[in-house]
Amino acid sequence: MTAVAMTRLIKNTEVVLVESDDIATVGVGEATIPTLEFFHEILNINEAEFLKATGGTFKLGINFENWRNTQHQYFHGFGVTGKDCWAADFQHFWLKGKQLGLKYEFGDFCLERVAALKGKFARVQNKGINYAYHLDATAYAQYLRMLCEKNQSFRRVEGKIAEVTLTTNSGEIESLALESGQNISGDLFIDCTGQRALLIGDALKTPYKDWSHWLINDSAIAVQTQSTEPPLPYTRSIAHASGWQWKIPLQHRVGNGLIYSSRFLDDQAAEQLLLNNIEGKPLTTPRKIGFKTGSRSQHWNKNCVAIGLSSGFLEPLESTSIHLIQQSIIRLLKLIPVNGLRQVDIDEFNQQTEVDIASIRDFIILHYVVTERDDSPYWQYHTQMSIPESLKHRIELFKQSGHVCLKNDELFEDSWMQVMIGQGLTPENYHPIVDNMSAKELSKFLGDMRELIEQRASSLPSHQDYIKQYCASRS
Ligand SMILES: Cc1cc2nc3c(=O)[nH]c(=O)nc-3n(C[C@H](O)[C@H](O)[C@H](O)COP(=O)(O)OP(=O)(O)OC[C@H]3O[C@@H](n4cnc5c(N)ncnc54)[C@H](O)[C@@H]3O)c2cc1C
């Protein structure tokens, strides 16, 4: 992703991609959020072609099963829920309706959720439907490489980095020595070496902030299976007694995985749990991936920018890692050094990146701490766990007065509401501006909106049919 963006958008710069055929990409990371559409748009990537190449499907949100309790499910849809007014968000109107005895679920007012649960999808003009993608991660990497290779200013060097040489005076990265003996020098190095973090970590010794006391999962087991039904237009996230499972439907297979904490579940039991809860025949051998949740203390250090897993990791509960990658790429392109490095640019990059990651970190922790579950040592741990002050404030603000206040261009406004309500947090009060509507008017307002959403969702084609005519993959 970084190489495509650099080659397509920054002219007069030679981009060298060093990649080892012996070290595969992590090969997971197959669910995205809607911001990827914008990234592709600025890179002039053709959507249908990309979906064909990656066996991709559309994603309208995530169905969270067994998260509030073992009998409950809710949907985090990508769209806007209901209609708000200048003073109060829609949840205030919904809440009063609920107090009046109207039986609507909050998600009934989200077109994406209603369409997803009917298995419907179509692209609608003017962002009438918000969507993201499910994609085959390995195929996506190959597709992006092919795009890079079309560009004259791009050079791919196959080989394993054996050593990173620093300059003696400034301690910046001077060059990379490959096992083949080849040396690669450069002005700016972007560390995309994944969890190995060869440049930002091993060479520059940039500290890693460990957040595993808040996000205790440290392991994943992934397995791909045959599809047993037409692809759903959403990701499934199923909570278990000691972790949670993802199901990501592609055109040609399903990606499955279990995320868990080795403190509460051993690898063998985890693998069995996953295999007991998949539908299709396995296509791959289950694969264990370990990780440590946290973030680099600096994402840009000297002449090295960490992008991807080298810069940190938050578990994929809300499919945010690829989004963080693209955010870092766009941020780097905005602050790209001209005529040498400037510390102010570096500081700005680090500060913005940190705000982004901390907000997503809080959003993920929310799922574990606002829940009725305490049915296993894993869930009991979360009932007693301390949480970041920033999250504590958000939860109290929503609980006591029903507000979600975002800072600057923070992601996820609607998502916070959907997840807080879905996990079982109902505000104690609604905003008094809602009382400007009589009970009859409010009931009509909600009823009409609900009916319109139902009609719009029903009128869409099935997800499967849409894929067939728009982007059927050859595989
Ligand atoms: C279990 C799990 C599930 C995930 N699910 C999601 C998801 O649903 N959605 C999402 O957005 N994100 C998800 N992610 C995160 C996502 O997978 C990563 O952010 C993304 O794949 C980027 O990885 P990367 O490029 O940083 O690292 P990698 O994919 O590990 O790539 C590292 C690259 O560095 C090269 N390399 C390493 N060492 C050397 C060396 N010595 N010499 C030369 N080259 C070298 C390798 O060849 C490789 O190309 C998930 C992650 C995990 C662990």
Side-chain angles (χ1 to χ4, degrees):
M1 289 171 75
T2 309
V4 178
M6 298 292 282
T7 47
R8 289 209 160 179
L9 300 176
I10 305 292
K11 298 295 165 202
N12 306 320
T13 301
E14 191 196 16
V15 176
V16 183
L17 174 67
V18 181
E19 223 178 358
S20 167
D21 287 343
D22 295 339
I23 308 173
T25 52
V26 67
V28 278
E30 307 206 312
T32 64
I33 62 172
T35 50
L36 191 61
E37 194 197 354
F38 168 72
F39 184 70
H40 286 175
E41 209 173 287
I42 59 174
L43 295 179
N44 210 8
I45 288 178
N46 180 286
E47 185 182 64
E49 182 192 278
F50 140 75
L51 286 165
K52 272 181 205 168
T54 60
T57 60
F58 293 95
K59 172 181 172 188
L60 291 167
I62 306 173
N63 200 44
F64 284 97
E65 301 165 33
N66 305 344
W67 278 86
R68 187 199 296 189
N69 60 53
T70 52
Q71 313 298 318
H72 184 265
Q73 50 178 299
Y74 71 94
F75 196 86
H76 166 197
F78 287 142
V80 172
T81 306
K83 275 193 196 134
D84 56 11
C85 83
W86 65 271
D89 291 325
F90 176 70
Q91 72 270 19
H92 296 274
F93 295 84
W94 168 76
L95 196 59
K96 181 167 178 193
K98 202 168 142 71
Q99 290 176 5
L100 291 173
L102 301 175
K103 297 265 178 275
Y104 301 118
E105 282 187 42
F106 187 63
D108 287 345
F109 299 93
C110 174
L111 173 62
E112 288 76 2
R113 180 238 189 204
V114 177
L117 297 181
K118 288 178 187 292
K120 304 269 197 163
F121 179 81
R123 288 154 65 254
V124 176
Q125 273 189 337
N126 300 325
K127 308 259 180 243
I129 284 210
N130 292 283
Y131 61 87
Y133 313 106
H134 298 126
L135 50 88
D136 178 320
T138 306
Y140 187 47
Q142 285 161 356
Y143 174 69
L144 295 174
R145 177 177 155 192
M146 182 270 293
L147 295 184
C148 285
E149 283 172 337
K150 285 184 178 168
N151 205 302
Q152 296 285 315
S153 62
F154 172 82
R155 185 158 61 92
R156 179 177 183 272
V157 176
E158 197 289 311
K160 217 184 260 184
I161 300 163
E163 210 182 316
V164 179
T165 308
L166 305 184
T167 57
T168 41
N169 47 354
S170 64
E172 289 179 1
I173 298 176
E174 187 172 80
S175 62
L176 310 177
L178 306 192
E179 275 183 355
S180 62
Q182 189 178 355
N183 248 304
I184 295 176
S185 55
D187 301 310
L188 185 69
F189 290 81
I190 305 183
D191 187 343
C192 299
T193 61
Q195 293 198 45
R196 293 168 192 84
L198 293 181
L199 282 61
I200 196 92
D202 287 3
L204 294 181
K205 310 276 180 250
T206 314
Y208 192 82
K209 286 186 283 180
D210 183 346
W211 287 336
S212 55
H213 51 297
W214 286 321
L215 288 165
I216 62 171
N217 294 327
D218 57 7
S219 307
I221 300 217
V223 68
Q224 299 170 2
T225 54
Q226 279 179 349
S227 309
T228 56
E229 58 181 352
L232 298 170
Y234 57 89
T235 303
R236 288 180 66 194
S237 164
I238 305 151
H240 290 288
S242 302
W244 65 274
Q245 180 184 354
W246 78 76
K247 292 190 184 189
I248 299 178
L250 301 178
Q251 291 185 41
H252 53 297
R253 63 165 169 82
V254 177
N256 306 269
L258 184 82
I259 297 278
Y260 58 100
S261 163
S262 58
R263 250 197 278 174
F264 294 97
L265 192 67
D266 66 49
D267 294 347
Q268 218 180 354
E271 183 173 322
Q272 205 46 57
L273 177 65
L274 177 63
L275 293 176
N276 289 345
N277 287 284
I278 50 176
E279 275 92 37
K281 202 170 138 215
L283 298 170
T284 53
T285 310
R287 184 163 64 96
K288 157 101 198 268
I289 304 159
F291 55 81
K292 189 195 269 184
T293 297
S295 169
R296 289 277 155 211
S297 61
Q298 290 161 279
H299 304 273
W300 183 345
N301 185 6
K302 300 185 190 287
N303 63 341
C304 173
V305 184
I307 295 187
L309 296 174
S310 61
S311 81
F313 184 60
L314 293 170
E315 63 176 74
L317 187 56
E318 286 285 352
S319 322
T320 40
S321 290
I322 294 174
H323 164 78
L324 285 170
I325 291 174
Q326 95 183 39
Q327 283 296 93
S328 288
I329 296 169
I330 292 171
R331 189 169 295 129
L332 175 61
L333 293 179
K334 284 184 180 169
L335 295 169
I336 197 88
V338 183
N339 295 330
L341 296 170
R342 278 181 294 265
Q343 193 58 41
V344 278
D345 293 335
I346 298 177
D347 294 343
E348 183 60 29
F349 182 93
N350 285 328
Q351 197 257 337
Q352 287 185 19
T353 309
E354 203 46 41
V355 169
D356 249 17
I357 296 181
S359 156
I360 292 175
R361 175 202 66 199
D362 285 4
F363 186 48
I364 295 175
I365 299 172
L366 172 75
H367 299 67
Y368 291 97
V369 294
V370 175
T371 171
E372 294 154 15
R373 287 198 72 158
D374 59 359
D375 50 289
S376 64
Y378 176 85
W379 289 101
Q380 282 153 14
Y381 172 91
H382 289 100
T383 61
Q384 283 147 25
M385 185 180 91
S386 75
I387 58 172
E389 284 303 317
S390 44
L391 176 59
K392 219 181 264 177
H393 170 73
R394 270 196 216 260
I395 291 176
E396 279 311 309
L397 185 66
F398 191 72
K399 193 165 139 199
Q400 294 181 34
S401 36
H403 300 310
V404 174
C405 295
L406 298 188
K407 295 180 199 85
N408 306 326
D409 56 353
E410 224 182 330
L411 260 185
F412 288 142
E413 180 168 14
D414 240 72
S415 309
W416 276 94
M417 288 174 222
Q418 293 186 40
V419 173
M420 287 201 268
I421 292 171
Q423 292 282 145
L425 192 68
T426 305
E428 288 159 9
N429 299 294
Y430 64 81
H431 194 288
I433 203 153
V434 178
D435 289 331
N436 287 334
M437 273 183 173
S438 67
K440 203 171 148 202
E441 282 168 338
L442 181 65
S443 167
K444 181 167 169 19
F445 168 67
L446 295 176
D448 288 353
M449 198 183 330
R450 173 77 194 108
E451 206 178 299
L452 187 69
I453 286 175
E454 188 62 30
Q455 277 169 11
R456 286 184 64 197
S458 299
S459 70
L460 298 169
S462 78
H463 181 225
Q464 170 89 322
D465 285 348
Y466 193 80
I467 287 173
K468 258 192 212 153
Q469 60 89 14
Y470 179 65
C471 56
S473 110
R474 283 169 287 270
S475 58

